[in-house]
Amino acid sequence: MARRRGFFAELQHQQRLAAQRQAQQQRAAVREHNRTVAAMQRAARERERAEAAAQRAAAADRARLEKEAKAAYVAQREAEAAQENALIATQLQDIEDLLAATLDVDDWVDLEALKQSVERRSFHPPGELQTPTQQPQYFALPDQPRFVPPSKPSGLGAALGGNRRYNAELSAAAEVHREHMRGWWDAFQETFRQNAVLRDRWRTYERERYRRLEQSMRVHEAAEERRLRDVEVANEKLDRLIAGLRRREPAALEEYVGIVLANSAYPECFDVVHEYSYNSEDRELKVSVAVPAPEEFPSTKSVRYVKASDEIVRTPLSATDLKRRYNNAVNQVALRTAHEVFEADREAVIDAVSLTVVADAVDPATGRDATVALLQLAVDRETFMALDLSRVEPAQTLKHLSAAVSKNPYGLVPLAETGVRG
């Protein structure tokens, strides 16, 4: 059997984890944890305030303020211990409730509901690409000089040599005007050149903006095409899966089981891994469930802050309690897995479940990694569905179902014999 968690299985797994975290926020243990976090934060702020005040204080007040700072530090450390205790209590309770946590959940997965319907999203370019570059403020062109001729003499003045003087003044004025025109033309050309630089620079900015805008649009369109195509492909896969389930194809059933089991979100401190295969001839689902090894199991009962040594001291669970909790978790995992499979199979395609709960360990004889079978259960649908799991004691239920259980799962004692059939 190979481990599987396909696209839809992973999608369901992440959605269930999110729902699980949201539900945890409503639980009393988590609310207590949140209160301890707030208390720790208040204590930390009070400690910082007291230490800062002690630094500023005069010698007469310093001793008192230092005492207050130490008290605030102790309060902070005690709040840290309270926070960790709340987390420990939540973890231990979550493991105690492995079976109960799934009984109020309908494990059937509506595959039609997994289909996605999406619309093409509008293109919204970055702001700097939407707004055209502001046109430049061009330099004003210089005014063209006007030729102002001297006054032309008339009458007696013209007869007494005025015309000669006028012609000379006119010639001089014309020369001055030509000089002004040359200066004006040079200034005109320079201004025109500077304005051309500004215009060309603005056009370059605008061309670059348009280029980036078009590129951004192409990227958006390509992303939209991929997204819509991915949705289309995913919906087509779901259609094929639904059709395969109607035809009771083994591969389709296995994929559906993968979605169901991925939907089963275990506590982060006690995660499990499922492997499975379906035999269409016997209509039996074979499942292997890997649970954390005993050394990975939460083993702390509580913590406390010791002021004298400034340490957080951990109190471990007793060996008896730790063994009981681990063995009970193994038992609950077996019943939970069978329950989720049968409940999710509304069409009753699966007649029986044969499951094994295993843990990874190191073989003391060889020093190599080994997989230890801790529990085996084979049960048919009718027998299992007749159980009221909300009122059972897991160990007694497994005994009733003729399951093979390790004499000491916590000690990783393997089953004496493998293979069970009720």
Side-chain angles (χ1 to χ4, degrees):
M1 292 183 291
R3 294 181 182 180
R4 304 175 178 87
R5 185 176 288 171
F7 171 78
F8 300 112
E10 183 62 28
L11 177 65
Q12 286 294 98
H13 182 67
Q14 295 302 324
Q15 289 178 345
R16 177 58 67 87
L17 283 178
Q20 183 185 58
R21 294 188 185 102
Q22 184 177 7
Q24 285 177 339
Q25 295 301 317
Q26 308 303 321
R27 294 173 48 188
V30 175
R31 290 199 298 270
E32 177 61 26
H33 171 260
N34 293 338
R35 283 195 292 271
T36 60
V37 170
M40 185 186 70
Q41 292 172 342
R42 287 195 300 271
R45 290 195 297 269
E46 181 60 25
R47 173 194 168 193
E48 292 174 358
R49 185 202 63 77
E51 289 178 345
Q55 293 291 329
R56 297 191 304 268
D61 294 332
R62 187 163 297 164
R64 174 181 60 82
L65 292 173
E66 287 179 349
K67 182 178 180 180
E68 292 179 2
K70 290 179 181 178
Y73 174 76
V74 171
Q76 178 188 350
R77 296 287 277 165
E78 289 175 342
E80 290 175 3
Q83 177 193 6
E84 189 166 352
N85 277 327
L87 179 60
I88 290 171
T90 300
Q91 289 180 335
L92 293 178
Q93 191 60 49
D94 284 344
I95 296 175
E96 286 290 295
D97 295 339
L98 287 179
L99 179 58
T102 195
L103 297 182
D104 293 333
V105 177
D106 185 356
D107 296 297
W108 175 72
V109 179
D110 182 2
L111 296 178
E112 290 286 353
L114 295 182
K115 290 185 178 180
Q116 306 173 65
S117 59
V118 295
E119 296 181 356
R120 183 178 292 273
R121 295 175 296 195
S122 300
F123 174 59
H124 298 289
E128 70 275 9
L129 299 183
Q130 294 185 45
T131 306
T133 309
Q134 186 176 5
Q135 291 196 24
Q137 295 293 324
Y138 293 113
F139 297 105
L141 294 173
D143 295 332
Q144 183 175 348
R146 292 176 57 246
F147 176 66
V148 181
S151 300
K152 187 173 182 180
S154 62
L156 184 60
L160 296 175
N163 284 332
R164 288 193 301 272
R165 287 193 302 272
Y166 168 73
N167 290 332
E169 291 173 356
L170 181 61
S171 178
E175 182 60 34
V176 170
H177 178 68
R178 283 192 293 272
E179 186 62 30
H180 287 170
M181 284 295 292
R182 283 194 290 269
W184 167 80
W185 181 247
D186 290 342
F188 180 89
Q189 289 185 311
E190 177 60 21
T191 303
F192 194 85
R193 185 192 66 79
Q194 292 176 354
N195 286 341
V197 170
L198 294 176
R199 183 185 63 252
D200 291 344
R201 186 178 301 166
W202 171 74
R203 287 177 174 173
T204 299
Y205 288 155
E206 277 296 275
R207 282 195 297 269
E208 176 63 15
R209 184 179 71 86
Y210 277 117
R211 186 192 66 78
R212 292 173 58 198
L213 184 61
E214 291 175 353
Q215 182 183 39
S216 180
M217 183 178 294
R218 287 194 298 272
V219 170
H220 168 79
E221 290 300 321
E224 282 299 286
E225 290 297 330
R226 288 194 300 271
R227 188 174 68 91
L228 296 176
R229 180 56 185 163
D230 288 345
V231 169
E232 183 180 349
V233 170
N235 288 342
E236 289 173 355
K237 288 182 179 179
L238 274 172
D239 286 334
R240 289 196 296 271
L241 175 58
I242 293 170
L245 285 173
R246 292 196 186 104
R247 294 191 294 267
R248 300 195 173 192
E249 296 174 357
L253 183 67
E254 288 183 359
E255 186 172 356
Y256 176 71
V257 168
I259 295 173
V260 171
L261 295 180
N263 209 19
S264 177
Y266 281 77
E268 293 182 5
C269 59
F270 193 85
D271 198 16
V272 305
V273 177
H274 300 92
E275 302 177 357
Y276 43 87
S277 63
Y278 176 66
N279 186 322
S280 58
E281 294 182 2
D282 297 333
R283 297 180 63 176
E284 178 184 80
L285 183 73
K286 187 175 182 181
V287 187
S288 175
V289 190
V291 299
E295 62 267 20
E296 299 170 351
F297 193 82
S299 60
T300 300
K301 179 180 180 181
S302 63
V303 301
R304 61 188 177 89
Y305 173 62
V306 179
K307 181 179 176 181
S309 60
D310 188 22
E311 292 179 323
I312 299 290
V313 177
R314 298 181 177 277
T315 300
L317 293 168
S318 68
T320 300
D321 194 25
L322 187 57
K323 179 179 178 180
R324 179 197 67 78
R325 288 175 180 272
Y326 185 83
N327 295 351
N328 185 46
V330 170
N331 294 340
Q332 290 191 73
V333 166
L335 296 177
R336 171 171 169 162
T337 303
H339 165 78
E340 289 169 343
V341 168
F342 283 131
E343 184 176 70
D345 179 25
R346 287 187 179 179
E347 301 298 323
V349 178
I350 301 171
D351 282 346
V353 169
S354 173
L355 66 85
T356 305
V357 180
V358 302
D360 292 333
V362 176
D363 188 330
T366 65
R368 294 184 175 275
D369 292 336
T371 299
V372 180
L374 304 176
L375 185 154
Q376 285 189 331
L377 168 68
V379 61
D380 63 84
R381 172 185 292 275
E382 182 179 0
T383 300
F384 192 86
M385 297 304 287
L387 301 172
D388 183 354
L389 294 178
S390 66
R391 303 172 63 186
V392 302
E393 199 289 310
Q396 294 301 317
T397 303
L398 290 169
K399 184 177 180 181
H400 167 73
L401 296 175
S402 301
V405 182
S406 164
K407 293 182 179 180
N408 182 8
Y410 182 74
L412 294 178
V413 175
L415 295 174
E417 295 181 2
T418 59
V420 288
R421 281 291 182 274

